Amino acid sequence: SWTVFLQCVLAALGAALLARCLGLGYLAATFAGLAFGFSGYLVSQVPNLPLLQSAAWLPWLLAGLIGGVESGAWAWFVAAAAAWALSLYGGAAQVCVLEAAVAVLVLLWLLFAPGTIPWGRKLGRVVVGGLGALALGSALGAAQLLPSLDLAESSGWRLGTGALPSLSALALQPRQLLYCHNPYLLGRDGHPAFWGGGHYHLACGYVGGLTILLALAAIFLPRLPLRHRWLWLV
């Protein structure tokens, strides 16, 4: 129980730090931390401890990459590498794949987004610092990563013609995006009145209507000091 609680607090602190790095005030950063750390998605994963342990490090990873590219300080990249390694040790392979994809997307955005940093210097920070942080984190997490890859190979999980249909069957459907706004829109899971799709606990990403409205305000009101707002919209 304490592990679950500490993971939620860790996720909340990371999201608050990320918000501060993006220029938000303490009140907004606190709200962002609570909205992520105690969101419906993370709380619903309490029985799935590896997912919770890996997902908690996502905002720490992004804060390290953004801080490193914008400031050029190597401490940010080292922190990003540590967060990536700890996420790997969390044990949720699917979450780590998603985090790697988000990290690469953020690095690409930082590379091509307009700013005051010369493009050549920014390219060096993204390639050497950002991608180097992911490589260093992977090396630090090799004690978890290599046995997991070997286990997947020996268990028959090969991306062949037989594996792709089974993986596609587990994919979320577009209609399940509705769960992010109202998890009980199609009824309560496990109740006879439920008429939604399967994998309910994986699709439930509810953060609250107020959170969604404030996020839209942060994106579309240019007076607010939120940097990279169009990245977060994507």
Side-chain angles (χ1 to χ4, degrees):
S1 299
W2 277 108
T3 301
V4 169
F5 175 72
L6 290 177
Q7 295 301 322
C8 291
V9 171
L10 181 68
L13 291 175
L17 173 64
L18 177 60
R20 289 290 296 160
C21 291
L22 296 174
L24 297 184
Y26 286 103
L27 180 60
T30 301
F31 190 95
L34 294 175
F36 178 73
F38 298 94
S39 62
Y41 181 72
L42 290 184
V43 172
S44 68
Q45 299 303 323
V46 165
N48 191 2
L49 189 56
L51 191 149
L52 188 62
Q53 293 175 153
S54 292
W57 292 103
L58 174 62
W60 296 91
L61 171 61
L62 298 184
L65 294 176
I66 294 174
V69 172
E70 292 185 342
S71 68
W74 287 103
W76 284 105
F77 292 123
V78 173
W84 175 232
L86 290 169
S87 181
L88 291 173
Y89 282 116
Q94 301 94 326
V95 171
C96 292
V97 170
L98 291 174
E99 288 182 350
V102 173
V104 171
L105 173 63
V106 168
L107 289 175
L108 287 175
W109 172 271
L110 294 173
L111 179 61
F112 294 104
T116 58
I117 304 174
W119 195 83
R121 183 180 302 175
K122 189 162 54 172
L123 177 63
R125 293 178 182 179
V126 168
V127 174
V128 179
L131 297 182
L134 295 178
L136 176 60
S138 300
L140 294 173
Q144 169 76 20
L145 188 61
L146 295 179
S148 299
L149 294 175
D150 186 65
L151 176 62
E153 182 69 19
S154 63
S155 302
W157 278 98
R158 300 177 180 87
L159 286 179
T161 57
L164 290 177
S166 61
L167 292 176
S168 300
L170 295 173
L172 300 180
Q173 303 300 318
R175 67 177 182 275
Q176 291 175 306
L177 286 173
L178 297 174
Y179 290 140
C180 295
H181 304 286
N182 188 341
Y184 299 127
L185 184 65
L186 306 180
R188 186 180 296 271
D189 188 33
H191 192 272
F194 181 69
W195 54 280
H199 310 293
Y200 174 84
H201 70 286
L202 292 177
C204 180
Y206 184 63
V207 295
L210 179 60
T211 306
I212 296 175
L213 291 176
L214 289 174
L216 292 175
I219 290 172
F220 292 109
L221 293 181
R223 292 174 296 174
L224 297 178
L226 178 66
R227 298 199 304 278
H228 313 302
R229 65 183 71 238
W230 297 112
L231 168 66
W232 309 122
L233 179 61
V234 172

